[in-house]
Structure formats: structure tokens, C-alpha cells
Amino acid sequence: TTAVTCPTVRIHPAVIAQAAATSAVLHGGRFVLGVGTGEALNEHIFGDAWPQADVRLEMLEEAVEVLRALWGGDFVSHHGKHYTVEQARIYTLPDAPPPIYVSGFGPKAIDLAARIGDGYVSTMPDGEMVRRFRENGGGDKPCQAGFKAAYADSEDEGMRIAYERWPNAGVPGELSQVLPSPRHFEQASELVRPEMLKEAFVCGNSADAHLEMIDKYAKAGFDEVYVANTGPHYQGLFDLYQREVLPRLR
């Protein structure tokens, strides 16, 4: 699963449609395209204006329409509000179109995910978000989430690594979506203290801490949880999960 790709500004949805179709073929149908409205940091590079949130959601909805049309296998011409496609066709297609999971944090984005998505993506163990998705059209579609770890010999060392490598995880609100430059992220991250990252990361080498975090997502109603290690000690995280976390989950 891509968690998540922005198919609206920097990359035209027709290009994403072709890339996702190829990925689905190469992965034997195991590929899921996660999409979201993106971040100015990545999307502003061609000098286009960064749209406000409502417009970005509108663009995402039309982009998903373009993706699914192209995965139908015919020639597609689309003349929409935000995108134009002229006689485009994807020739290498998987047996079934890739599922599209939609990311959402605010109410409008969650409602859009429920309406157009084949699943939902989040990074917070928030049961209200899952309930809103399911009650507003998502039903029993998959809900997927992820959290970060910073594996190390101690919690303090893990916290140090997290703060060194990913302090922007502590930047609040919509700043991560609207700041356009790494310099701005660096400046905003000066407001983040190392201990603040304990809310976003599982630091150290405790299997109990990982199981506790996974349990939060399970109780919130998520079906799948993905863990991303930050820092150099990824093998230690793999070994911990093999030895202690996964057996206890089973």
C-alpha cells in the first residue's frame, strides 16, 4: 500500500493510474493505492498555487474518477474542472483494478473517504474517525493505520533518535500540509521538545510498548496496522516483532 500518494498537483492522475496499474501487475494483485490531498512541501514545486483544503478534496475526488476510468481498459477522454485527459489508454492492467484507500483526518476528508474510497487510511488511534468513516458510507471497508517506532537499546535513546530524524512528527495542526519548504519545517520543529515525540513514536525496545500501541488501534476499530522504524536499527525492530510481538498478537 502506498500510504499515501497525492494524485492531484505535482503528478497528474493519469500518470498515477498507469504507475499503479503496473505496480498491481508486478505484485500479483496485492497492490493497494493509498491516496490523499498531499502536502505543499511536495506539491508546490512547479509554482502552482496551493489550494485550500476544500479545493484539494474536490481535486482528489475528480482524480479518483480519472484513475478508475483509466483502469477500465478503454480509451478515455475526460474534461473536468481540474483535469483533462485526451484519448488515453492503459495497456498493462491487473486482473482487477487496485483498491483505492483514501486518507482523512478532518471531518470532510473522512466523509470523502467513506464515499469514494475502497478503504480508509489514518495515523491516529482515534475511534471517532473510524466510526465517522463507517457510519457515513464506509461500512465494513478496511480501515488501515500506521505508527512510527524508533528502536534503540533504551526509551531515551529511541526518543533521541526520533527527535534527531523526525522532529516534524510533533508539529501540530495543519502545518504539515501547508508549509512549503524544508526550512520552514526546520523552523517549526524548533518548537518541538523530545518528550513530545513519545506520543507519536514507540521508542526503545519494549515489546509491551508496541503491543500497547497496537491495542489502541485495535480498540479504535482499525483492521490493519503498519509500523515504520525511524533510525538505523530497523533489524532490531524486525527481530523484536518476530521474537515477541507477533507471537503474542497471534
Side-chain angles (χ1 to χ4, degrees):
T1 305
T2 62
V4 293
T5 294
C6 179
T8 60
V9 177
R10 178 172 50 103
I11 307 177
H12 194 284
V15 177
I16 296 294
Q18 191 274 336
T22 299
S23 295
V25 170
L26 291 171
H27 287 83
R30 293 175 287 118
F31 177 80
V32 176
L33 179 65
V35 297
T37 57
E39 300 174 355
L41 176 70
N42 304 315
E43 305 303 319
H44 81 287
I45 60 171
F46 295 137
D48 298 309
W50 182 235
Q52 63 182 12
D54 286 349
V55 177
R56 299 203 306 271
L57 290 169
E58 185 180 85
M59 294 173 72
L60 182 62
E61 182 169 6
E62 186 178 338
V64 169
E65 179 184 345
V66 170
L67 292 167
R68 288 182 169 138
L70 285 165
W71 291 338
D74 296 326
F75 285 95
V76 173
S77 291
H78 174 92
H79 300 277
K81 182 176 180 179
H82 300 286
Y83 305 106
T84 298
V85 179
E86 284 285 357
Q87 288 293 299
R89 182 180 179 186
I90 297 176
Y91 289 89
T92 300
L93 289 167
D95 293 334
I100 297 176
Y101 290 7
V102 180
S103 171
F105 299 100
K108 292 180 181 179
I110 295 171
D111 291 349
L112 179 67
R115 183 158 51 83
I116 71 171
D118 299 309
Y120 172 56
V121 181
S122 182
T123 58
M124 294 180 283
D126 189 325
E128 289 301 318
M129 290 180 170
V130 175
R131 274 190 289 276
R132 186 177 186 107
F133 172 78
R134 297 206 183 283
E135 291 173 359
N136 289 344
D140 61 356
K141 296 174 184 177
C143 288
Q144 183 185 98
F147 68 85
K148 293 180 176 64
Y151 186 89
D153 290 337
S154 69
E155 184 180 34
D156 286 344
E157 175 63 9
M159 185 175 66
R160 185 196 65 77
I161 291 171
Y163 186 69
E164 175 187 279
R165 303 295 179 93
W166 211 296
N168 52 296
V171 173
E174 296 181 59
L175 287 176
S176 292
Q177 281 70 54
V178 300
L179 294 177
S181 166
R183 181 178 68 255
H184 298 136
F185 275 90
E186 185 176 21
Q187 293 166 358
S189 295
E190 291 178 3
L191 302 174
V192 178
R193 302 269 57 84
E195 57 272 12
M196 294 166 63
L197 295 181
K198 287 186 178 181
E199 296 182 13
F201 285 77
V202 177
C203 300
N205 59 3
S206 168
D208 288 339
H210 280 271
L211 290 162
E212 181 180 345
M213 181 67 85
I214 292 168
D215 189 55
K216 289 180 181 179
Y217 285 92
K219 287 179 177 175
F222 286 96
D223 303 296
E224 303 173 5
V225 177
Y226 293 82
V227 185
N229 188 65
T230 297
H233 306 307
Y234 57 87
Q235 188 61 52
L237 185 75
F238 291 158
D239 292 343
L240 178 71
Y241 267 69
Q242 180 187 41
R243 186 176 64 249
E244 298 185 54
V245 177
L246 294 178
R248 289 166 65 181
L249 281 175
R250 295 189 188 104

